[in-house]
Amino acid sequence: MISLLLIGTFFIVACLFIAQPWFARKNVFFGVVFANDQVRNHPTAQKIMRRYLIESIGTALILLVLLIVARLFSSRELVLAIACNLIFFALLALETLLFIRGNTGMRRLKKQLQPNPQLSTNKISVAIGRNARENVLPLRWLLLLLPFFIATLVVACFGYPYMPDSIPVHFGLTGPDRWAAKSWLTVLNPVFFQLIFGALILFVRRAPASVKGNPNAAPGYAAYRKMLNLILILFCLATQSIFFLMVASPLLHVHYVWFLIIGVLDFGLMFAMFLIHARFVRRKTASGSILDDDDKWIGGIFYFNRSDPSLFIEKRVGIGYTVNMARPVVWIALALIVTSVVLFSLY
Amino acid sequence: MLLSIDFSSDQAIYMQIRDAIVTGIASGKLQDGDTLPSVRVLGSELGVNLHTVNKAYQLLQSEGFIDIQRRRGTFIKAGKTAQSTAAFLRKYGVPLKDMVHAAVTERVDRAVLHKMIDHLYDELAGTE
């Protein structure tokens, strides 16, 4: 059962990695922006894509075999856990490297092609004044997150003396499968996570599009951002309810079916996200002048722009948001998150 | 209206933002009470430093073209100066363009025209 779940997870993650270059706007190939999608008919572009597909699928298959071998031959739980983590890390690293190679190839191809006048490295225009009302998700939507947050905090604080000595911290398909010793840190952990989620949604509300140049360079982006933010809030609500149940489970008897239902709901939301991306990003055609800012996208994945004050920006490849690596605050936040994760796993 | 910035231009970005908004007021595309995006929003949409946008907004405020209200936002002020600029451009914009067009066809150096205008301004302002 567990190995099936493990292999299933690996399969889904690998598929998402392999399909990555296709989760982008029509005129963006491996994180390189073009004036239109004509370039996909270019023999070199087709060669780059074919090579990427063969190599990324091959890599995933080899790692899958390794995963099955590790599962079959490791008798000790710890060895298996380390092997699994290593294999997942290798998947992440190798697929990213293959993507970056595709990005390099596309950049080289772009240099060889006749420069398109629609692409400009130095012109950008934005709409202001009438008919340019800022289209962001109203702040009041964030209030939806408040009830569960307060409920979790109240249950954690007032229920603490009545909780047993070991607290479930992870729920699998068949109910809680990992416990931790009772402490304020364990009990309040879900509350911290909820705060971080809320703050993240607050920040991505205004994240600009990954393709700029003029309002039609990323047509319908504001509406898409609103929908994506709404889905994030729903996702957050689902996660919050899991956290609430986690905190409440030592006190009340919570049937594990609830966790399963919320898990299925999360999958539904993920699916909705794919549909919205396909409908409102993938199918749209850009027009007008497009800013050629490939040099700000390292490997087509990491955004680094010193003059851009935004902390978050839409991902150029993939669904969601990424950070502006040129902002020192981002590095501080990342360091804090990594430290807290390490500290939490140690104690 | 569209606010366009050219990063390769010799003109500073804050001046480009300022000029675009003044032109918008003069042409009537920006009207009294229209809202402008906040410094942060415009900065992140254009991908330019917050100080740059702030400098443009401060300049526009000191010239009386915009009103920056801490809580409510930034609004276009099509006040006396802006309105008279707009009225002037509406009335004389076309003949002015024709004149410059003629100067370009006759290959008159732009510095000559600039100097002529400066001279006329000095002369007329002096007689007032």
Side-chain angles (χ1 to χ4, degrees), chain A residues 123-126 211-218 287-291, chain B residues 2:
Chain A
K123 282 195 181 64
I124 184 168
S125 43
V126 297
V211 176
K212 294 178 177 181
N214 83 95
N216 286 321
S287 58
S289 164
I290 293 169
L291 185 71
Chain B
L2 280 183

Side-chain angles (χ1 to χ4, degrees), chain A residues 31-52:
Chain A
V32 177
V33 70
F34 289 87
N36 49 48
D37 61 345
Q38 293 295 309
V39 74
R40 83 178 150 180
N41 299 323
H42 195 283
T44 313
Q46 283 178 345
K47 209 175 105 190
I48 291 170
M49 286 189 196
R50 225 175 8 246
R51 199 175 70 179
Y52 169 80

Side-chain angles (χ1 to χ4, degrees), chain A residues 89-294:
Chain A
F89 179 75
L91 181 73
L92 174 103
L94 292 174
E95 298 290 348
T96 307
L97 279 178
L98 287 174
F99 179 89
I100 291 174
R101 205 165 81 173
N103 173 270
T104 319
M106 280 292 176
R107 275 173 202 255
R108 210 175 296 136
L109 172 65
K110 190 175 172 179
K111 265 190 200 143
Q112 288 164 8
L113 292 174
Q114 193 96 1
N116 190 311
Q118 211 185 326
L119 268 185
S120 151
T121 48
N122 44 37
K123 282 195 181 64
I124 184 168
S125 43
V126 297
I128 57 164
R130 219 140 277 207
N131 310 325
R133 195 154 293 166
E134 206 194 357
N135 199 355
V136 293
L137 192 77
L139 258 182
R140 57 177 176 275
W141 282 95
L142 272 170
L143 290 178
L144 277 175
L145 301 177
L146 218 54
F148 265 123
F149 175 72
I150 293 171
T152 317
L153 193 65
V154 166
V155 171
C157 289
F158 292 98
Y160 189 79
Y162 310 104
M163 286 182 192
D165 287 338
S166 80
I167 310 274
V169 288
H170 189 266
F171 292 78
L173 279 179
T174 49
D177 56 8
R178 214 183 298 151
W179 285 265
K182 176 182 166 181
S183 73
W184 277 107
L185 193 67
T186 330
V187 174
L188 282 178
N189 192 36
V191 180
F192 294 139
F193 267 107
Q194 291 193 16
L195 272 180
I196 292 174
F197 280 158
L200 278 182
I201 293 178
L202 201 66
F203 277 119
V204 298
R205 258 174 85 233
R206 289 201 157 90
S210 61
V211 176
K212 294 178 177 181
N214 83 95
N216 286 321
Y221 173 70
Y224 162 71
R225 179 176 59 188
K226 253 172 143 174
M227 280 183 272
L228 202 58
N229 284 350
L230 198 61
I231 285 199
L232 279 180
I233 287 184
L234 292 176
F235 198 78
C236 204
L237 265 177
T239 316
Q240 274 190 322
S241 56
I242 286 190
F243 283 158
F244 174 70
L245 292 180
M246 246 162 95
V247 171
S249 66
L251 297 172
L252 316 159
H253 177 69
V254 179
H255 200 278
Y256 77 87
V257 162
W258 282 108
F259 291 99
L260 208 63
I261 290 173
I262 298 166
V264 170
L265 201 77
D266 276 348
F267 263 106
L269 285 173
M270 229 168 89
F271 190 64
M273 217 150 91
F274 284 126
L275 285 183
I276 287 174
H277 185 270
R279 172 75 187 75
F280 293 94
V281 176
R282 185 76 189 157
R283 265 169 63 182
K284 299 267 182 182
T285 307
S287 58
S289 164
I290 293 169
L291 185 71
D292 180 359
D293 57 351
D294 290 339

Side-chain angles (χ1 to χ4, degrees), chain A residues 122 124 126 128 130 212 307, chain B residues 1 3 5 7 34 44 48:
Chain A
N122 44 37
I124 184 168
V126 297
I128 57 164
R130 219 140 277 207
K212 294 178 177 181
S307 60
Chain B
M1 71 164 255
L3 181 136
I5 298 297
F7 294 116
D34 277 4
S44 82
V48 299

